[in-house]
Amino acid sequence: MVQKEMAAAEATASSNDSPKVSIFPQAAKSVQEKVIPSLPNSDEEIQDSVDGAMKDFELESQRTVVDMFRVMPANVAIREAMEAPDPRPLFLNIWYEGQICCLYAKSGNGKSIEAVQAGISVASYKPVIYLDLELSQKQFQRRYSEDGVAYTFPDKFLRADYSPDYHGDKDLIEGIENMCLTLDVDTVIIDNLSWLVANGEKAEDAGRLMRKLMFLKLKYGWSILIVAHTPKKDDKLPISDDDIAGSKVIFNFIDSAFAIGKSIRGEEFRYIKEMKTREDKIHHGVSNVIVTRLDKVNGLTQHVFVCYSDENTELGIENDKPSGLRSLKEMFSFVESPMRYTEIWQHLCQTVKKSNGKFIGERTAKDYIAKAHKAQVLSVNEDDKYYLAGNGEEVQSW
């Protein structure tokens, strides 16, 4: 009996040592290649593998989903985000991957032309859909051809418009979602906002639209550029975020924005101004706008770079400089005895004029006091009163 049991035990051990055949050999091989591309050889590699598995387990254990929200400690959220790649700039270091950006301008300022240039930039390395709800197919052809020769777009630049065979009433955002999913494209330019909502200037309509677009961004990680009108924009005034149709509601939802204004340099000149960013500091604000010239080069109607400039210069607005004064010391010559800060800036507001003949404002007056103090034209005594220090004869304030 004992011999039989020993024989049976040996047979069992032998069968355990024999290799097992998976009923899904290809699946097992695929999992091994993806999950364990190579087995660790050293103690250090084994420890790294264990640490990585424990880290993944720790991250997952601290995440939870409650209703429509995912919740985790802020430190876990930051640690998780640090392992993800940073978003790439798609156009002008203003529109980034995974963001909603808005480009706005008055009709005729070249916003659709700029939107197409943004699409060409993206299409150099990834597919992009330009949803053209402005031009007919023939108008698009005429804009991007010259003397019978058409501009050759990148193969990854896809133009879409309304199909003449479609007669339904599907929500446009739903149609955009289906189109992008079907074509496996994660970057779309929508030209323009007025087609997305009937009353784009009303806050409730704009808010409803932006919530739908935000949902697409958050759900799929898509990059979306919206083109919008500025129906009330005065070309003689600086561009502001109030100019956009839908105004503050749209501005609150979008990640970034830039706008196009007309320059006094000539009929074909424009300037591009960065209005908002959540990715980095603003590079092309009021003091560093991008001046362009509308031109057609090899069939491509485009904004051609001219230079960087100040927005006021492009609008012909005189800078806020005082008139008839040569130095800071001359400006503050009225401080014959120590004076309070308030007394000084109030005096400046009543006596110093800009080059357009108007008196300077409170903020400008306080800026000049700060400059005079920094230049040691003014000093402060122990009673917190300012007095003329006697320096700065040659120091200019503007």
Side-chain angles (χ1 to χ4, degrees):
M1 177 66 70
V2 174
Q3 290 178 343
K4 289 182 178 180
E5 290 177 352
M6 292 177 63
E10 289 175 358
T12 301
S14 175
S15 64
N16 287 339
D17 293 338
S18 61
K20 291 182 174 61
V21 179
S22 171
I23 59 174
F24 300 110
Q26 294 301 321
K29 182 179 179 182
S30 175
V31 170
Q32 183 179 5
E33 289 174 348
K34 292 180 180 179
V35 180
I36 313 176
S38 62
L39 293 175
N41 296 318
S42 65
D43 291 343
E44 184 178 350
E45 290 178 344
I46 293 174
Q47 186 61 49
D48 289 342
S49 298
V50 173
D51 290 343
M54 290 298 293
K55 184 177 180 181
D56 292 341
F57 175 76
E58 178 187 357
L59 289 175
E60 287 300 322
S61 65
Q62 296 185 73
R63 297 177 55 173
T64 184
V65 176
V66 181
D67 198 354
M68 66 178 70
F69 305 106
R70 59 177 182 173
V71 186
M72 69 188 79
N75 291 329
V76 174
I78 292 175
R79 206 157 61 235
E80 194 173 279
M82 288 180 69
E83 296 177 356
D86 291 333
R88 290 183 296 180
L90 296 174
F91 188 62
L92 293 180
N93 287 323
I94 297 176
W95 180 28
Y96 281 76
E97 286 182 326
Q99 292 189 353
I100 298 178
C101 181
C102 183
L103 163 61
Y104 60 98
K106 280 189 68 174
S107 179
N109 276 10
K111 57 185 179 294
S112 294
I113 293 171
E114 184 75 352
V116 168
Q117 282 184 256
I120 292 172
S121 175
V122 175
S124 64
Y125 62 93
K126 64 185 293 187
V128 57
I129 295 176
Y130 174 68
L131 179 55
D132 189 354
L133 302 175
E134 280 278 284
L135 300 181
S136 68
Q137 194 167 343
K138 188 64 179 178
Q139 290 169 333
F140 186 81
Q141 172 259 309
R142 289 169 63 98
R143 175 171 287 183
Y144 294 104
S145 59
E146 188 174 21
D147 298 328
V149 179
Y151 171 75
T152 302
F153 284 87
D155 292 337
K156 294 179 181 179
F157 184 100
L158 308 176
R159 179 184 178 273
D161 59 8
Y162 264 122
S163 169
D165 299 324
Y166 178 72
H167 304 289
D169 57 354
K170 181 184 293 185
D171 178 78
L172 187 57
I173 298 295
E174 182 184 348
I176 292 172
E177 180 180 12
N178 292 337
M179 173 179 65
C180 290
L181 290 175
T182 301
L183 298 177
D184 193 24
V185 176
D186 63 6
T187 306
V188 60
I189 299 170
I190 305 170
D191 190 3
N192 67 56
L193 182 69
S194 59
W195 275 90
L196 297 178
V197 56
N199 300 300
E201 293 182 61
K202 292 185 178 180
E204 60 271 22
D205 295 321
R208 194 177 303 114
L209 160 70
M210 294 309 301
R211 280 191 290 272
K212 291 180 180 180
L213 292 176
M214 282 289 293
F215 176 77
L216 295 183
K217 183 191 85 165
L218 295 174
K219 183 177 181 180
Y220 302 113
W222 288 352
S223 310
I224 303 170
L225 175 62
I226 313 166
V227 182
H229 287 303
T230 55
K232 301 175 182 179
K233 174 72 174 66
D234 185 342
D235 288 333
K236 297 179 181 179
L237 297 177
I239 301 171
S240 78
D241 51 12
D242 291 325
D243 295 328
I244 188 173
S247 193
K248 292 294 185 181
V249 175
I250 292 178
F251 237 76
N252 289 339
F253 278 101
I254 58 179
D255 299 293
S256 55
F258 60 114
I260 303 174
K262 279 190 175 181
S263 169
I264 63 169
R265 293 171 185 256
E267 184 61 32
E268 73 275 20
F269 287 90
R270 305 288 186 269
Y271 70 89
I272 299 169
K273 180 181 179 183
E274 186 177 0
M275 301 301 300
K276 180 180 180 179
T277 181
R278 285 180 177 157
E279 189 61 37
D280 196 2
K281 66 179 181 180
I282 289 182
H283 296 283
H284 301 292
V286 61
S287 61
N288 192 41
V289 298
I290 304 171
V291 180
T292 68
R293 185 185 73 255
L294 289 177
D295 199 0
K296 181 175 284 191
V297 181
N298 297 326
L300 176 63
T301 304
Q302 59 186 286
H303 287 265
V304 179
F305 174 78
V306 175
C307 65
Y308 298 109
S309 181
D310 179 274
E311 183 178 24
N312 286 343
T313 300
E314 299 310 307
L315 294 174
I317 299 175
E318 294 182 353
N319 289 325
D320 192 18
K321 295 180 180 180
S323 176
L325 294 175
R326 295 189 301 271
S327 69
L328 281 168
K329 188 171 183 179
E330 183 178 354
M331 173 180 281
F332 291 95
S333 60
F334 66 92
V335 187
E336 297 177 350
S337 60
M339 296 176 65
R340 296 287 183 189
Y341 180 75
T342 303
E343 295 174 332
I344 295 177
W345 71 253
Q346 288 178 345
H347 181 89
L348 291 175
C349 290
Q350 296 170 3
T351 58
V352 179
K353 292 184 178 181
K354 297 182 287 187
S355 55
N356 60 6
K358 295 181 180 180
F359 288 109
I360 63 173
E362 176 182 342
R363 184 173 179 178
T364 302
K366 291 179 178 180
D367 285 342
Y368 284 133
I369 295 174
K371 289 179 181 179
H373 188 232
K374 184 177 180 180
Q376 298 181 346
V377 173
L378 291 179
S379 294
V380 184
N381 63 20
E382 57 186 11
D383 295 325
D384 289 331
K385 290 185 176 181
Y386 286 79
Y387 63 94
L388 199 61
N391 296 326
E393 187 70 47
E394 303 300 328
V395 178
Q396 301 298 315
S397 61
W398 37 87

